Amino acid sequence: MKLWGGRFEGGPSEVFDRFGRSLHFDKTLIDVDLRGSIAHAKGLLKIGILSAEECTKLISTLEAMRGEASQRGFFDNSADEDVHTVVIHKLKERLGADLADKIHTGRSRNDQVSLDVRLWLREQIDSGRGLLTELLGELLQLAHRYPDAIIPGYTHTRRAQPVLWPHYLLAYFEMFSRDWERLGDARRRVNVMPLGSGALAGSGFPVDRDAVAAELGFASVTRNSMDVSADRDFLLDFEHAANLTMLHLSRMAEDWILYTGEEFGWMDLGDGVTSGSSMMPQKRNPDSLELIRGKAGRVFGAYIGLLVTMKGLPMTYNRDMQEDKQPLFDVVDQLLSSIEMATVVVRTATLKPEIALAAVEQSWAVATDLADALARSGMPFHQAHKVVGQLVLESVKAGKTARQWSAETLTAFHPAFTADMAALLDPRAGLSTRNIRGGTGPQAVAGALAEAGIRLREMRG
Ligand code: ARG
């Protein structure tokens, strides 16, 4: 069955029919399509296009289809073009053409598909945000498991300065909470009701659009019918938010692939999220994290793909836009499953605090603390930087670590050093000079952790 055809003498070629069909993927939208049609039927009742009896029949049939659509076989033997056609086809079989054909009054598949995707995506965004709060909760728990542990903070993948373990995890807490907000922003743009726009010029029937919006839980209605037919910005907004979430997941995955490997070795992952090698018996590979990192690339591709699909489209609807759906569904799948996977990885992750501390102490990660101390004593910072640089050079040449210096040798090395500055050879001492808000000092971090807990409770609502 087709929703068009009167104007044609010949039917579509078999190849075009196959080429243009979208049912095998847009059937994902079946439930929202049915809900949209129910709301539309109520709108048609109010303006007298449907009688009360007709409306009741339509709605009960559409409701029944909602139940059936989740069962296997609902789409079997269906040669229809898309999900919208299947619904009308089945309505015709059950109610007869005279009634079924009325449901599409004042509606186009252009505003219908916009409605369907908005309804569907709104729910997916809510799931994604819910999963993100789980991940944020696990990050906080992992921080609380080692509240005082010191790890090397890196720049250029070189040991840079000591930081507290919770401080490191809170950096990801910030990223993922921004993602949670960003998905919320995208949701606001998704949550606008397009029905009533018709094909492009607005419906010819005075359906109460606000009532339809209220019925379907939308916050407002779209303002311009041409914009509706042409617009996929709300998908791009969502995909942008999804992309940044995947970017953050991928960077955390990359960190932990490194930190849990032999070369870093100060973190570990649980057996449940690692896999072995078919040949090398000793291997324990971080495949869960590698898959997250890999899926990020796939999700970025979908976003770029949609931008390119949209960039040259003349106003308003063009069939190119059907190509938005498979990548969107895939982005949602990859996003939700990656957040879920990351949450389990965080739950199983362990820190090896002694090895992390040893990595700090074997390097000159305290160098900045010493330079800061000289600067606090009045030496201009650049001069302090140079003195400590010379100290590090001397140490490297002599094969000495920071801990092998003492108050005596330090003051002997340069008169600007005072005996009390030797305390900073212990990384913990330097940490407490960084209690500035946002810094890695123990009090600052304890405060940030407590605040993160409160923020998370607010996010969970
Ligand atoms: N399957 C189409 C899509 O996803 C639905 C809209 C069809 N509209 C049309 N004018 N052919 O975009």
Side-chain angles (χ1 to χ4, degrees):
M1 194 200 90
K2 290 265 176 285
L3 297 179
W4 42 272
R7 182 247 177 273
F8 290 79
E9 287 181 335
S13 79
E14 188 273 328
V15 172
F16 173 53
D17 201 53
R18 251 190 300 127
F19 190 66
R21 269 166 63 95
S22 55
L23 181 60
H24 56 288
F25 57 85
D26 68 16
K27 63 186 181 188
T28 300
L29 300 173
I30 182 67
D31 192 63
V32 287
D33 195 77
L34 291 163
R35 279 157 52 196
S37 287
I38 290 168
H40 184 57
K42 291 181 184 170
L44 294 178
L45 168 69
K46 283 217 237 160
I47 55 169
I49 297 289
L50 294 174
S51 69
E53 192 198 343
E54 286 173 328
C55 185
T56 308
K57 273 191 189 161
L58 275 168
I59 289 176
S60 63
T61 310
L62 290 164
E63 280 292 359
M65 277 158 66
R66 286 187 70 192
E68 292 165 35
S70 54
Q71 323 271 292
R72 282 188 54 215
F74 184 76
F75 296 100
D76 287 1
N77 311 318
S78 176
D80 294 321
E81 184 180 320
D82 58 21
V83 66
H84 324 295
T85 313
V86 169
V87 170
I88 295 188
H89 193 171
K90 287 190 189 278
L91 279 179
K92 276 191 183 180
E93 284 170 359
R94 295 170 196 204
L95 299 173
D98 285 348
L99 177 52
D101 280 343
K102 286 190 178 176
I103 188 69
H104 211 51
T105 312
R107 187 179 69 173
S108 155
R109 280 182 293 169
N110 297 349
D111 54 354
Q112 187 177 5
V113 78
S114 174
L115 176 80
D116 289 5
V117 175
R118 287 167 187 272
L119 275 173
W120 180 82
L121 188 54
R122 194 172 68 181
E123 284 162 23
Q124 306 304 317
I125 290 175
D126 290 341
S127 304
R129 295 179 90 213
L131 289 172
L132 271 179
T133 62
E134 303 287 311
L135 173 60
L136 289 166
E138 287 298 337
L139 283 172
L140 291 188
Q141 289 197 32
L142 183 54
H144 281 293
R145 284 206 278 284
Y146 312 92
D148 312 315
I150 298 179
I151 62 164
Y154 302 88
T155 62
H156 313 269
T157 333
R158 305 290 185 270
R159 292 171 199 164
Q161 287 187 273
V163 292
L164 284 175
W165 168 249
H167 192 58
Y168 164 75
L169 292 178
L170 283 170
Y172 280 105
F173 186 93
E174 291 303 319
M175 294 180 228
F176 293 125
S177 53
R178 283 197 297 274
D179 294 331
W180 183 87
E181 286 174 13
R182 209 174 273 116
L183 283 166
D185 294 340
R187 189 192 195 281
R188 273 187 284 286
R189 238 101 55 194
V190 168
N191 197 25
V192 186
M193 208 290 296
L195 220 57
S197 301
L200 77 160
S203 171
F205 298 82
V207 172
D208 181 350
R209 300 187 63 210
D210 292 308
V212 176
E215 171 83 22
L216 293 169
F218 283 99
S220 58
V221 302
T222 55
R223 293 196 182 91
N224 182 291
S225 62
M226 293 183 81
D227 178 41
V228 166
S229 290
D231 174 38
R232 292 296 180 267
D233 289 0
F234 60 102
L235 297 188
L236 289 165
D237 279 334
F238 161 72
E239 289 186 19
H240 174 67
N243 269 256
L244 286 191
T245 310
M246 291 302 294
L247 174 82
H248 298 144
L249 288 169
S250 180
R251 291 187 73 176
M252 191 171 85
E254 171 67 11
D255 274 2
W256 293 14
I257 289 166
L258 292 175
Y259 300 165
T260 60
E262 293 92 336
E263 315 305 336
F264 285 73
W266 50 260
M267 252 187 97
D268 207 359
L269 299 172
D271 276 357
V273 299
T274 49
S275 39
S277 153
S278 62
M279 185 166 155
M280 300 168 283
Q282 85 286 10
K283 289 302 287 293
R284 206 159 154 276
N285 297 325
D287 295 32
S288 52
L289 293 172
E290 290 167 323
L291 279 167
I292 289 173
R293 193 176 56 186
K295 285 168 187 295
R298 178 169 164 186
V299 170
F300 299 171
Y303 180 53
I304 299 295
L306 182 56
L307 282 170
V308 177
T309 295
M310 298 306 295
K311 77 173 266 292
L313 294 189
M315 287 282 266
T316 54
Y317 179 83
N318 298 269
R319 189 68 177 271
D320 315 43
M321 289 159 75
Q322 179 168 295
E323 293 301 313
D324 63 354
K325 267 167 233 59
Q326 278 168 302
L328 171 70
F329 299 158
D330 192 50
V331 167
V332 167
D333 279 350
Q334 303 319 318
L335 176 72
L336 301 190
S337 62
S338 298
I339 302 172
E340 206 184 356
M341 184 72 258
T343 305
V344 176
V345 172
V346 176
R347 196 173 296 144
T348 73
T350 49
L351 181 69
K352 297 173 179 170
E354 332 69 50
I355 301 181
L357 185 60
V360 171
E361 293 190 331
Q362 279 153 22
S363 65
W364 261 98
V366 296
T368 310
D369 297 337
L370 283 174
D372 284 356
L374 289 176
R376 272 193 291 272
S377 76
M379 184 183 272
F381 182 76
H382 273 296
Q383 290 167 27
H385 186 283
K386 188 170 170 194
V387 169
V388 178
Q390 285 161 345
L391 176 71
V392 173
L393 179 64
E394 168 96 4
S395 300
V396 170
K397 283 186 177 160
K400 278 167 84 172
T401 65
R403 286 317 278 273
Q404 286 167 320
W405 290 81
S406 63
E408 294 74 49
T409 55
L410 205 59
T411 48
F413 178 81
H414 196 286
F417 283 119
T418 55
D420 59 310
M421 291 179 191
L424 292 167
L425 295 166
D426 176 350
R428 201 163 293 280
L431 282 182
S432 46
T433 65
R434 304 188 187 285
N435 274 316
I436 188 165
R437 189 142 54 94
T440 194
Q443 276 126 47
V445 171
L449 256 182
E451 202 183 299
I454 295 167
R455 283 159 62 198
L456 180 56
R457 244 169 285 136
E458 281 165 8
M459 286 184 224
R460 283 182 165 142

